[in-house]
Amino acid sequence: MIPPGLLISAPASGTGKTTVALGLIAAFRAQGLSVQPFKSGPDYIDPAFHTAAAQSRASANLDSWAMGPDRLATLAATASGADIVVAEGSMGLFDGTATPGETGNGASADIAARMGWPVLLVLDVGGQAQTAAAVAMGLARFDPAVRLCGVILNRVSSPRHESLLRAGFDRAGLPVLGALPKRTDIALPARHLGLVQAEELPELAAQLAALGDLVATHCDLAAIRAAATPSRAPSSPAKPIPAPGERIALARDAAFSFVYPHLIADWRAQGATILPFSPLADQAPEPSATVAWLPGGYPELHAPRLAAADTFRDGLKAFAETRPVHGECGGYMALGAGLVAADGTRHRMAGLLGLETSFEKRRMHLGYRLARPHVALPGLADAPALRGHEFHYATILSQPDAPLAQVTDANGVAVAETGSYQHQPKGGLTSGTFFHLIAPAKATP
């Protein structure tokens, strides 16, 4: 049986959703509860923090634009046996694409409505008082399918400030379930793609415990737990996303870590063996592997080490002669000929593709992607289209190889980041994309 749950959302990004979600997970864990975390939308950093806070349960992404109803239900069913579900939204509660995808437009509200979870609204109340209640009332009335169970006030400056805020919410008839004071001493560090990765923070356990203490001290945990609603039962299980091979050499270190947890889970569920290797430690793919997969990450932060990793580069080239090698975003850049760092220095990469990228003049590329491959990717020969997400700051200097796919954004507008591929002389296929695969597409425009 799926336990009761709720979804943490807000009017906008940067309001403190992640702070509250992690704090709630940690606080409930400290009470001895088993917490199942989820993340709404295409985020590959926050789930790692959720997993660290939950300790015994891995977080997973729920994405209404890229996932069909069966996949959403199957992922939600992994919460079976937990005491409570805590899901974190993305951006603002109703923010999504203009054109719907598989199940919705990617908004956190889609997930809340489909799963039957009430929304716990986080409001950054800096610079306002009673007006915060008016904002919350607007969100509460915008869609009758989405129910607000209460609010948590974040960055409250003083007791007087809090009393004014509570007066506004009393008038609006919305329960205040917590009021967090301004705190700068326990903020999690961030970089250009979001939070610094969980594995890079040696004091993460202490920071999560501090967040849990903060939420437990300033929020009504009993009322929040009581507000959680039993999740709707799943429908028929989703067909697993095909594994790219039986033995998958997976690049895994601080430079290559952005892969969606449900992909790895599906691959393993089909009997695939994951064989991690570290390019930063100058390791080559396991020779017995049938495919190599380089996820996204931060190759630009480690470009000198990658350029000097001769064992990795030579081993990858030998592997690619006869077997498939695929890279996503950062992994794609690492498969290219060169990468120009922010200081203008060019670093050679693996050279399996002709791609040249640069971070000297950064430009954000962000959004959902629908790709129709021109060649069959490992394990995905039967998928006419793929749904994914692109988020990076690299500029393409040169992309001379054949385009891998016809790629459009969520509105059907063509994008230049088509990916590329090369057939190797001895039968191998090297391919790469700037988007991260979320799931094969069913509903395509």
Side-chain angles (χ1 to χ4, degrees), residues 72-235:
L72 290 172
T74 298
L75 287 169
T78 62
S80 179
D83 296 309
I84 190 169
V85 166
V86 175
E88 180 187 351
S90 58
M91 306 198 320
L93 175 58
F94 296 101
D95 294 333
T97 62
T99 304
E102 296 285 339
T103 309
N105 71 344
S108 301
D110 286 348
I111 299 301
R114 176 160 289 274
M115 300 304 170
W117 296 331
V119 172
L120 180 58
L121 194 68
V122 179
L123 294 170
D124 181 349
V125 295
Q128 61 180 334
Q130 292 95 325
T131 301
V135 173
M137 284 184 68
L139 291 168
R141 296 176 178 178
F142 188 77
D143 184 346
V146 178
R147 180 174 65 87
L148 263 62
C149 63
V151 301
I152 289 182
L153 311 176
N154 191 27
R155 300 181 184 127
V156 178
S157 61
S158 68
R160 179 178 178 275
H161 187 204
E162 183 176 342
S163 67
L164 289 171
L165 288 159
R166 287 184 179 274
F169 282 94
D170 285 345
R171 178 182 173 186
L174 294 173
V176 175
L177 301 183
L180 303 179
K182 286 183 179 180
R183 290 284 295 272
T184 58
D185 56 320
I186 56 174
L188 295 170
R191 61 164 62 104
H192 53 274
L193 297 185
L195 293 176
V196 169
Q197 298 176 85
E199 63 191 37
E200 297 180 73
L201 301 177
E203 304 298 323
L204 180 58
Q207 290 172 302
L208 291 173
L211 286 175
D213 289 342
L214 176 70
V215 168
T217 300
H218 297 282
C219 296
D220 188 340
L221 293 182
I224 292 172
R225 185 181 180 189
T229 299
S231 307
R232 291 181 181 146
S235 57

Side-chain angles (χ1 to χ4, degrees), residues 221-408:
L221 293 182
I224 292 172
R225 185 181 180 189
T229 299
S231 307
R232 291 181 181 146
S235 57
S236 58
K239 182 179 179 181
I241 297 171
E246 295 179 355
R247 295 174 60 79
I248 305 166
L250 181 70
R252 185 70 177 88
D253 55 29
F256 304 99
S257 61
F258 295 166
V259 60
Y260 289 110
H262 68 275
L263 285 183
I264 303 297
D266 274 12
W267 294 349
R268 284 185 167 138
Q270 296 165 79
T273 300
I274 307 297
L275 303 166
F277 70 100
S278 171
L280 289 181
D282 201 14
Q283 296 173 353
E286 164 62 43
S288 68
T290 53
V291 62
W293 191 282
L294 279 69
Y298 292 105
E300 69 274 19
L301 300 182
H302 307 277
R305 287 178 64 185
L306 291 173
D310 293 331
T311 300
F312 158 65
R313 182 167 40 255
D314 293 344
L316 186 65
K317 285 183 176 179
F319 187 98
E321 289 180 358
T322 56
R323 285 159 289 183
V325 175
H326 183 71
E328 291 188 329
C329 201
Y332 178 35
M333 290 184 262
L335 292 177
L339 184 154
V340 178
D343 64 0
T345 303
R346 182 188 183 276
H347 302 275
R348 67 170 179 160
M349 295 289 107
L352 288 170
L353 295 170
L355 178 72
E356 293 267 356
T357 52
S358 174
F359 288 84
E360 189 174 12
K361 293 183 179 180
R362 299 197 321 165
R363 177 174 171 241
M364 187 172 72
H365 302 262
L366 171 66
Y368 286 116
R369 299 291 183 258
L370 178 68
R372 295 176 172 85
H374 299 311
V375 295
L377 293 175
L380 297 168
D382 296 331
L386 307 171
R387 290 189 184 269
H389 186 263
E390 182 177 347
F391 187 11
H392 65 92
Y393 285 85
T395 299
I396 297 175
L397 301 180
S398 177
Q399 188 173 268
D401 301 309
L404 179 67
Q406 175 192 355
V407 182
T408 58

